[in-house]
Amino acid sequence: MGWLTDWRRSRVLKKHRIDERQWLAATGGFAFLKNYPHEKLKRLVLQFLAEKHFTGAHGFQVTDTIRLSIAAQACLPVLELGLDWYAGWSGIVVYPGDFRVRRSEVDEDGVLHEWDDELAGEAMPGGPVVLSWDAAAHATDINVVIHEFAHKLDMLNGAPNGMPPLHAGMDAAAWHAAFTVAFEGFNDALERGTDTWLDPYAAEHPSEFFAVISESFFEDPAETRRRYPDVYDQLKLFYRQDPA
Ligand SMILES: [Zn+2]
């Protein structure tokens, strides 16, 4: 059914335009977006908006500006990959602020533990992306939108493990080596109490490291390349972009 999708997407571009003033209102706060091909990003955003469905949680009103702002950042990782990388789900749930999720786990003695996590974002395999607008709107050090959509890419080949499906010609061993060295070095630095450049949350799991360094790849590519040259090279091959 690829032709039908192609036809729908080209029709969206013929019928809709993004007003430049509205685009600036939605994206002006994200200076890094100016480094990317403007018209190409806008075209992808139009198609993204036609295919994804936004819902406000807790009575939150998702305005056109909010939709545009989230879509612009979400489209950046797939700018050269295409929207098919976000296929198979359509929901984006936006909370006004951080939200609570109930977690539970049965320990080795069979005892059920339950607790609440407070989150700024969550991506579910085959399900929606959930975002806190407060966190998404004040993305300075942390970009929750790019973070959650990077998780979506990571989940395409099963449980998130820090390695999305690589393109033909990419070397899984090279990816694994680059990310393992970086992840272990990052954890060592945290244990020594060294100030880390990346959000310490990256140490939680290889999948979190991939999501966090994907944020910095797009937001601060030159510094990402300087600090993590091997990881940068792998991300460049995967995202098919060389923003530095
Ligand atoms: Zn995460």
Side-chain angles (χ1 to χ4, degrees):
M1 299 298 272
W3 62 270
L4 186 57
T5 309
D6 290 347
W7 176 77
R8 280 205 191 104
R9 286 179 184 163
S10 66
R11 207 171 62 134
V12 165
L13 294 183
K14 282 195 193 106
K15 290 179 72 175
H16 300 275
R17 286 271 172 283
I18 298 177
D19 174 72
E20 193 58 31
R21 248 198 350 218
Q22 201 171 31
W23 174 260
L24 283 175
T27 63
F30 305 100
F32 65 93
L33 283 176
K34 295 186 185 76
N35 302 325
Y36 296 88
H38 184 65
E39 289 306 321
K40 185 168 189 171
L41 185 59
K42 279 170 77 175
R43 283 197 298 276
L44 199 63
V45 162
L46 273 176
Q47 294 167 332
F48 180 94
L49 290 172
E51 291 176 25
K52 299 300 180 211
H53 186 253
F54 285 78
T55 315
H58 289 174
F60 186 61
Q61 196 73 35
V62 187
T63 63
D64 285 347
T65 307
I66 291 173
R67 260 193 285 270
L68 260 183
S69 169
I70 291 171
Q73 296 171 78
C75 283
L76 206 47
V78 294
L79 191 59
E80 299 298 334
L81 301 177
L83 274 188
D84 286 351
W85 286 70
Y86 292 153
W89 59 276
S90 66
I92 298 170
V93 180
V94 189
Y95 281 82
D98 287 5
F99 50 94
R100 273 168 194 279
V101 289
R102 191 107 260 247
R103 305 282 196 206
S104 63
E105 192 176 76
V106 180
D107 70 16
E108 11 181 76
D109 300 320
V111 180
L112 175 71
H113 299 270
E114 288 190 294
W115 69 97
D116 286 334
D117 256 353
E118 189 133 302
L119 301 177
E122 191 176 35
M124 298 189 232
V129 170
V130 188
L131 297 165
S132 147
W133 173 243
D134 185 49
H138 302 102
T140 44
D141 291 342
I142 294 170
N143 188 302
V144 68
V145 179
I146 293 177
H147 183 104
E148 298 308 330
F149 280 82
H151 278 319
K152 273 293 194 186
L153 299 174
D154 189 0
M155 286 168 186
L156 285 173
N157 52 359
N161 61 357
M163 181 158 34
L166 303 183
H167 308 298
M170 285 186 73
D171 180 358
W175 178 286
H176 191 256
F179 275 84
T180 303
V181 168
F183 182 68
E184 285 174 359
F186 187 76
N187 276 275
D188 288 347
L190 271 186
E191 265 167 40
R192 284 195 309 271
T194 316
D195 219 11
T196 57
W197 177 63
L198 290 176
D199 181 5
Y201 188 64
E204 289 275 313
H205 188 269
S207 65
E208 295 302 344
F209 190 83
F210 168 70
V212 169
I213 206 157
S214 289
E215 298 171 45
S216 71
F217 177 81
F218 290 106
E219 284 197 331
D220 198 348
E223 191 63 12
T224 306
R225 187 178 60 182
R226 194 178 75 76
R227 288 175 184 262
Y228 296 98
D230 294 342
V231 167
Y232 183 91
D233 283 345
Q234 293 301 316
L235 292 174
K236 182 176 80 178
L237 291 171
F238 172 65
Y239 288 118
R240 293 184 167 147
Q241 299 187 52
D242 188 2

